[in-house]
Amino acid sequence: MIKANRPDILTAMAVPQVDKKMLSELESMGFPTTRSIRALHFSGNSNLESAVNWLLEHESDPDIDQLPLIPREIPIECGDTSNEVRNDIQGMRDPVQEQKREERTETGRQNETSQLERELNADEQEEEDRKRILALYKQKRDEEGRAREQKRNQLQDDQRERIRASKDLMEAKRTLEENQRKRMMESRIADQEEEKRARERIRQRIADDRAERRRRLGLPQENPAGASVPIITPTKQVKPVERVVTSEQLRDCLRTLKKNHKDDSARVTRAYQTLLKIIANIVKNPAEDKFRRIRLSNPIFKDRVGNLQGGTEFLELCGFQRLSASGYLVMPRDRIDMTLLNAAGVEIASAMENPYFGLLSK
């Protein structure tokens, strides 16, 4: 008990009055009486929702389970003794206690009459909670199902992608092997054709030499098996013997080029690519003079082929002729040999694809 500044007023700390109906509803919800009184007092006794929100926000307060106390003024008359003051307080307490008993009785009757309503409300609330829990469970299950479906689709997509990549790799490998077989077949065919032409040239050379010797000796020309052959007149010039170029000679040039520059593989590869492009351009466009004419002083040609031993020699084997007076490499139209050019292209491609080309041979 605290004495106020005024001599006729005595201040005491008391529990605040709250709305009993809302207090009863809070207790029926399971909230302790002390916390319910505290929530109703600090929420202004406005409504049940505000009290519940206050409880949820302050449930961790250290004094949540303590009854709130507010000062209450008690008027006294001057000259009263301490006994009189105590009697007044006791007299004030008696009506309060009586009021509390009446309120408890009234609350008991209200509890009896509203027990059924609370039970019904509890059942309805329980049903709503059950439905809400079921809805949340169904939503979670649907989300998990969608996640599993998405993961399964992703796995299927990854598997299809791996299968497609594997098929592409196998197809690329098969294509590479097929191209290699084709190049080997073409190389063998070219070698056979070259050998055949070489034998024909040798036979022709032998026949020409024999005919020349008979002409010099004044003997009549041979007419084998009674076949009619044109009579060689003295003014006819003997056809010069062409130089026979084999695949081995082409490979020797490419080996020489690589051995002399084995420490600079990029330069060797660039030289092979340039030679292959020159040969391919002639094969594709044999009538174009610009592809059969190379200026030896061209900086690009000198850097890529001309300054490398074996580069210019390889082109000369393919049919190019060096014109020292004009400074050009030229392939006359009558010296275009498609078989030889194709064989040269095959040899260049093989040298580019084989990383050990020119390194293992002596």
Side-chain angles (χ1 to χ4, degrees), residues 68 102 110 138 151 189 222 228 263 310 317:
E102 292 177 357
Q110 291 178 356
K138 183 179 179 181
K151 186 176 181 180
I189 293 173
E222 293 181 349
S228 62
D263 296 331
L317 287 176

Side-chain angles (χ1 to χ4, degrees), residues 180 258 262 265 268-269 272 348-360:
Q180 289 178 348
K258 188 166 186 177
K262 60 183 179 181
S265 59
V268 173
T269 302
Y272 285 169
I348 297 173
S350 177
M352 292 173 62
E353 293 174 359
N354 184 2
Y356 301 106
F357 178 80
L359 300 178
L360 301 178

